[in-house]
């Protein structure tokens, strides 16, 4: 099946973006501190759970079960939401979803909407679609606000502004929020955002959210957050529109007990996130009196059709796989050129947009398997990566005839996956490369390698291995 | 859109079951081998709840029932909270004479609530393992906006409302699944700036919990 029109307008070129990211030392410092901090917190709160593995297994099984009956559960959800006074819309692709949301906002005569951080609406480029209709979308999550004010893209699922430090944020707020003088203390910066957004929360009539979970049996939608901007958006406006991917379903109310344990511990490394809101349709006298649920496909049914790739849809977007990934740690999120970065992005994006549009992403990994170990729903990311590398090579062969079957890239990639297969071998190879690359490096790029690897560089430049790898640097820093 | 519904359902069925006549797969089952309850004694749960709420940088005190009005009065006085938003059904004797209580029958505007010094509510449940307070916006809790807009939330939790772990709370809420629910674990927070945790962004920046022992 061909992918449907997908508006993640991207040709992710990991191999082109990564060298620039590696050269940016500020980014590398921020990323290193951030991922290390979250990793340690996550490990502590996961270790204190006696039944963590059982919860992970249940999480995976619930998702497998849901996907197997997805049509049935979607219809159940639709009926339950309608029973509770909500409206349900179906959107086969991004364009359909954007048209539905834009139409709803216009029908309520709003020129401004407030938004809760939502990857799904980033994926469909909803803000741009609204802007075209003359509607401005105000991001209310602190990091999203920072990104929006800076006119940039997110670099991390959970903390999108992870690549920006306090001095940069202070400068940005003074420039864009009309604040004369402010300190670079995080508390002061958060207070500035609070007062700027409070006025919006009290006056803007329409809010747009995503959803972390949707309970088919009851019609309940669940949003997990930290700052309270979610509660504001879900409570104060007259109209609430939630755009939810069809993979966010869980069958029963009881299933929430599994995911509300798995998600916060994996995500922010907390026993529980500060706020979780759950609502069902419309409650008279409390919260928005009009509720619209938009169910989004946009390539998800393609993923569903692939028996190995299907598990990608289990993802609850916790970002644990990003934080543990040695490749992500060094390159940051922008190198992936997608709203879904890191290991999950490396498998999700090519499946959503079609591998032919994201050929390098399945290679943006060392296959060390750390992502699989931390994934709260047991997605076997290395398995899916290898499966997709096979797809990339097969496509080459299909389009290239006999010659392509013996193409050096296909052979070299197979060899590289073996080298990257274990962390020890990977670091050893890096060290050998540091020692041996001198004569081969021109302008920081290795364009020719002798021997077996030669086939690979014949196809593309290999970023020179830095004199000190991130792992070495980190160890020495700690020592 | 109507045709999108048909398209999506058809795509899902094709994706799952393949072309007609393809061999049927086995439906995956769910083994719930994780803990659904905890044998922990109530006294230990109380201790754990208090400790974990405090870890979120919330203020928390344990008091006997007859000391509740005094504790409320002391908390409000320390905070200098004079205008207080309260749910319509909050017991009268919880309220110290010094404060002006705005009882919300649904008539208070968001501006009214935004202008209050604080809000005083009860709750539906507490979870010891995670230090979480759950509002189902039922008795003594009021609608969602009430406990959201004021900058200070004083919340009364009865020891008998504290359960051990998340599945026990979800099970108790199973009869009320159509009500809006708010899970609160500490004051609002962000770690968006260099991963430094800042307590207090949009929700109440101060959470004060009074736990009433049995
Ligand atoms: S793939 Fe797993 S670890 Fe990565 S974001 Fe999704 S749920 Fe989390």
């Amino acid at each position: 099946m061909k992918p449907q029109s997908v508006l993640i307008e991207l040709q992710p070129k990991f191999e082109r973006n990564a060298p620039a990211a590696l050269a940016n030392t500020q980014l590398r410092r921020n990323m290193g501190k951030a991922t290390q901090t979250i990793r340690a917190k996550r490990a502590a709160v996961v270790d204190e759970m006696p039944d963590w593995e059982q919860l992970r297994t249940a999480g995976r099984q619930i998702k497998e079960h849901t996907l197997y009956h997805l049509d049935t559960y979607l219809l159940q959800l639709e009926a339950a939401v309608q029973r509770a006074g909500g409206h349900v819309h179906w959107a086969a692709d991004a364009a359909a979803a954007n048209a539905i949301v834009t139409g709803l906002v216009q029908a309520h005569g709003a020129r401004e909407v407030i938004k809760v951080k939502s990857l799904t609406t980033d994926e469909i480029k909803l803000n741009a679609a609204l802007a075209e209709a003359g509607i401005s979308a105000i991001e209310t999550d602190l990091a999203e606000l920072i990104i929006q004010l800076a006119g940039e893209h997110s670099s991390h699922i959970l903390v999108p502004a992870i690549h920006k430090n306090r001095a940069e944020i202070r400068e940005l707020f003074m420039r864009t929020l009309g604040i004369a003088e402010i300190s670079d203390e995080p508390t002061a910066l958060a207070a500035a955002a609070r007062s700027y957004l409070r006025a919006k929360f009290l006056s803007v009539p329409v809010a747009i959210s995503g959803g972390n979970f949707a309970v088919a049996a009851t019609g309940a939608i669940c949003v997990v957050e930290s700052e309270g901007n979610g509660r504001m958006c879900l409570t104060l406006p007259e109209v609430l529109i939630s755009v939810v991917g069809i993979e966010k379903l869980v069958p029963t109310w009881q299933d929430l007990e599994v995911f509300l344990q798995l998600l916060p511990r994996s995500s922010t490394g907390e026993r529980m996130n500060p706020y979780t809101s759950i609502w069902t349709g419309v409650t008279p006298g409390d919260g928005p009196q009009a509720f619209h649920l938009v169910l989004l496909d946009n390539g998800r049914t393609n993923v569903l059709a692939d028996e190995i790739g299907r598990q990608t849809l289990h993802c609850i977007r916790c970002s644990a796989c990003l934080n543990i990934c040695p490749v992500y740690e060094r390159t940051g999120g922008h190198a992936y050129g997608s709203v879904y970065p890191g290991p999950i992005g490396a498998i999700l994006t090519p499946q959503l947009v079609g591998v032919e549009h994201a050929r390098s992403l399945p290679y943006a990994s060392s296959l060390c398997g750390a992502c699989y170990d931390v994934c709260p729903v047991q997605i076997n990311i290395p398995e899916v990566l290898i499966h997709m590398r096979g797809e990339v090579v097969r496509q080459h062969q299909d389009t290239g005839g006999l010659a392509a079957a013996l193409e050096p890239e296909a052979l070299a990639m197979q060899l590289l996956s073996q080298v990257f297969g274990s962390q020890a071998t990977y670091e050893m190879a890096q060290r050998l490369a540091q020692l041996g690359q001198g004569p081969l490096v021109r302008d920081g790029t290795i364009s020719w390698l002798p021997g077996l690897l030669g086939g690979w560089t014949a196809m593309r430049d290999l970023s020179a291995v830095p004199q000190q790898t991130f792992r070495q640097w980190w160890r020495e820093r700690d020592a | 859109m109507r045709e999108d519904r048909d398209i999506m359902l058809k795509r899902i069925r094709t994706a799952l079951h393949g072309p007609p006549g393809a061999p049927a797969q086995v439906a995956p089952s769910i083994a719930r081998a994780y803990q659904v309850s905890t044998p922990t004694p109530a006294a230990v749960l109380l201790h754990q709840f208090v400790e974990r709420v405090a870890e979120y940088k919330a203020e928390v005190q344990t008091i006997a029932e007859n000391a509740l009005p005094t504790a409320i009065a002391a908390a409000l006085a320390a905070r200098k909270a004079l205008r207080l938003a309260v749910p319509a059904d909050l017991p009268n004797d919880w309220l110290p004479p010094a404060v002006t209580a705005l009882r919300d029958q649904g008539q208070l505007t968001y501006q009214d609530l935004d202008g209050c010094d604080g809000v005083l509510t009860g709750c539906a449940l507490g979870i010891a393992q995670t230090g979480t307070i759950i509002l189902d916006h039922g008795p003594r809790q009021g609608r969602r906006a009430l406990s959201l807009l004021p900058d200070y939330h004083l919340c009364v939790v009865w020891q008998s409302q504290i359960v051990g772990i998340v599945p026990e709370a979800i099970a108790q809420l199973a009869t009320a699944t159509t009500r809006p629910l708010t899970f609160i674990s500490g004051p609002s927070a962000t770690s968006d700036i260099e991963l430094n945790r800042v307590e207090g962004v949009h929700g109440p920046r101060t959470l004060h919990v009074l736990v009433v022992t049995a």
Side-chain angles (χ1 to χ4, degrees):
Chain A
M1 207 197 298
K2 282 273 125 204
Q4 294 86 43
S5 101
V6 173
L7 291 190
I8 318 181
E9 132 273 295
L10 14 111
Q11 291 272 347
K13 287 276 185 255
F14 186 83
E15 74 281 13
R16 204 167 55 210
N17 299 338
L22 285 169
N24 181 341
T25 51
Q26 176 67 54
L27 173 68
R28 199 167 87 171
R29 213 174 303 128
N30 291 0
M31 291 297 307
K33 180 182 175 205
T35 53
Q36 196 72 18
T37 311
I38 306 189
R39 248 190 250 173
K41 285 177 66 188
R42 177 200 162 273
V45 295
V46 163
D47 286 349
E48 74 178 24
M49 294 293 281
D51 56 347
W52 186 251
E53 287 309 313
Q54 288 84 347
L55 283 166
R56 286 180 74 211
T57 303
R60 170 175 58 78
Q61 290 175 333
I62 291 168
K63 288 291 187 176
E64 282 172 354
H65 172 91
T66 312
L67 291 177
Y68 187 82
H69 300 286
L70 189 57
D71 49 343
T72 313
Y73 286 132
L74 280 171
L75 293 173
Q76 262 189 33
L77 176 73
E78 178 185 50
V81 170
Q82 288 169 344
R83 250 195 331 269
H87 303 272
V88 179
H89 310 261
W90 300 65
D93 55 28
N98 288 335
I100 292 166
V101 176
T102 308
L104 289 169
V105 176
Q106 283 169 335
H108 289 278
R111 313 287 310 182
E112 261 186 345
V113 298
I114 43 177
K115 278 189 72 202
V116 193
K117 172 175 132 124
S118 146
L119 284 170
T120 311
T121 60
D122 290 346
E123 173 193 322
I124 62 174
K125 298 214 174 299
L126 176 63
N127 292 7
L130 289 170
E132 249 171 59
I135 300 158
S136 50
I138 303 157
E139 293 290 352
T140 62
D141 178 80
L142 181 53
E144 290 287 335
L145 177 70
I146 293 168
I147 297 294
Q148 190 179 45
L149 292 175
E152 291 178 358
H153 291 290
S154 163
S155 59
H156 189 282
I157 296 183
L158 185 72
V159 262
I162 207 167
H163 59 289
K164 279 208 155 355
N165 66 21
R166 61 176 78 187
E168 293 169 309
I169 296 167
R170 168 181 178 267
E171 187 277 324
L172 176 71
F173 277 13
M174 286 176 54
R175 187 158 47 80
T176 54
L177 297 184
I179 301 168
E181 186 51 53
I182 183 176
S183 90
D184 66 358
E185 275 305 303
T187 320
L189 294 170
R194 177 184 167 103
S195 63
Y196 167 73
L197 286 174
R198 182 57 69 112
K200 300 291 183 190
F201 289 137
L202 293 176
S203 62
V204 177
V206 179
I208 297 173
S209 82
N212 292 93
F213 308 104
V215 181
T218 69
I221 313 289
C222 175
V223 165
V224 170
E225 53 134 356
S226 294
E227 296 176 9
N229 60 313
R231 288 176 73 190
M232 292 282 174
C233 291
L234 301 171
T235 305
L236 301 181
E238 293 147 32
V239 183
L240 173 61
I241 305 168
S242 301
V243 183
V244 175
I246 51 174
E247 81 284 16
K248 297 293 174 69
L249 247 72
V250 298
T252 66
W253 178 256
Q254 192 192 359
D255 297 324
L256 288 179
E257 74 192 15
V258 174
F259 295 105
L260 290 181
Q261 295 192 82
L262 289 173
L263 181 53
R265 288 177 197 262
S266 302
S267 182
T268 45
E270 293 166 300
R271 296 189 176 108
M272 193 62 96
N273 49 291
Y275 297 136
T276 295
S277 296
I278 303 176
W279 75 97
T280 307
V282 167
T283 308
D286 188 345
Q289 295 301 294
F291 172 57
H292 295 269
L293 176 65
V294 182
L295 296 170
L296 179 74
D297 179 349
N298 202 38
R300 285 159 176 76
T301 45
N302 287 337
V303 188
L304 188 66
D306 184 322
E307 276 182 43
I308 293 174
R310 183 179 294 168
Q311 55 186 311
T312 311
L313 296 177
H314 299 176
C315 177
I316 56 173
R317 310 278 188 265
C318 72
S319 72
C321 60
L322 279 66
N323 300 328
I324 204 80
C325 177
V327 176
Y328 176 81
E329 183 174 29
R330 296 187 58 214
T331 61
H334 289 142
Y336 296 80
S338 161
V339 289
Y340 301 108
I344 178 60
I347 59 173
L348 181 59
T349 307
Q351 294 188 82
L352 286 177
V353 303
V355 280
E356 66 274 25
H357 300 298
R359 281 192 177 142
S360 60
L361 279 182
Y363 297 96
S365 161
S366 68
L367 297 177
C368 72
C371 47
Y372 181 26
D373 294 340
V374 296
C375 178
V377 285
Q378 294 176 340
I379 301 175
N380 191 335
I381 296 176
E383 179 190 33
V384 181
L385 279 169
I386 291 167
H387 173 64
M388 284 171 36
R389 289 179 185 187
E391 282 294 303
V392 173
V393 173
R394 248 192 313 284
Q395 278 202 4
H396 263 237
Q397 291 166 347
D398 287 353
T399 52
L402 250 186
L406 302 168
E407 183 178 300
E409 179 166 350
L411 299 172
M413 280 303 180
Q414 277 166 17
L415 179 77
L416 275 182
S417 2
Q418 286 162 20
V419 175
F420 285 165
S422 87
Q423 181 158 319
T425 328
Y426 173 62
E427 292 196 17
M428 175 70 78
Q430 276 188 322
R431 250 189 321 273
L432 284 175
Q434 279 168 4
L435 297 175
Q437 72 186 1
L440 310 173
V441 181
R442 235 171 285 120
D443 300 333
T445 303
I446 303 170
S447 6
W448 178 81
L449 277 179
L452 266 174
L453 286 176
W456 196 56
T457 48
M459 298 290 296
R460 56 172 55 144
D461 284 350
L462 179 62
S463 163
V465 177
Q467 276 310 310
Q468 194 185 25
T469 70
F470 184 85
R471 281 167 185 280
Q472 290 167 348
W473 170 78
W474 187 265
R475 267 191 231 115
E476 280 158 29
R477 218 199 70 131
D478 274 354
Chain B
M1 280 170 219
R2 197 70 206 174
E3 74 251 37
D4 285 48
R5 184 177 188 269
D6 296 339
I7 293 170
M8 285 164 67
L9 289 171
K10 187 159 165 254
R11 280 180 190 162
I12 290 167
R13 287 167 187 152
T14 315
L16 288 173
H17 309 298
Q25 298 157 4
V26 190
S29 60
I30 305 167
R32 296 185 194 269
Y34 55 86
Q35 294 186 8
V36 290
S37 64
T38 160
T40 316
V44 179
L45 291 184
L46 172 73
H47 177 77
Q48 193 179 52
F49 179 77
V50 168
E51 179 188 276
R52 298 199 166 170
V53 170
E55 277 181 36
Y56 293 124
K57 309 265 161 56
E59 290 171 50
V60 52
Q61 281 165 269
T62 310
I63 49 170
E65 183 161 5
N66 58 13
L68 182 60
T70 331
I72 291 173
L76 295 174
R79 173 81 190 182
K80 299 196 176 62
L82 296 174
R83 274 172 76 80
L84 198 66
V86 301
D89 60 349
L90 196 91
N92 257 330
D93 58 2
W94 286 20
L95 287 169
V99 306
T100 310
L102 281 73
R103 278 191 188 271
D104 179 41
Q105 321 268 3
Q107 87 290 4
L108 297 178
T109 65
Y110 293 155
Q111 278 71 20
D112 292 336
L113 294 172
D114 194 37
C116 284
D117 300 325
V119 54
L120 170 60
T121 72
C123 75
L125 287 172
I127 306 175
Q129 189 182 45
T130 59
T132 301
I133 292 163
I134 300 176
L135 306 182
D136 67 1
H137 304 281
R140 298 171 180 175
Q141 298 158 63
R143 59 183 164 138
R144 283 175 284 173
L146 185 83
S147 43
L148 175 60
L149 286 167
D151 203 10
Y152 173 74
H153 184 185
L154 181 58
C155 186
V156 179
V157 181
W158 255 260
Q159 184 176 357
S160 59
Q161 293 179 311
I162 299 172
V163 300
I165 58 178
V166 174
E168 292 170 308
I170 294 294
Q172 288 210 24
L173 295 167
T175 51
T177 53
T178 55
R179 312 183 71 96
L181 298 170
T182 309
F183 289 40
I184 299 173
S185 305
S188 79
T190 184
S191 298
D192 280 349
I193 301 168
E194 296 181 357
L195 287 193
N196 284 300
R197 190 177 161 100
V198 174
E199 271 76 30
V201 193
H202 300 296
R205 285 186 282 194
T206 308
L207 174 67
H208 192 156
V209 183
L210 300 175
V211 186
V212 180
T213 53

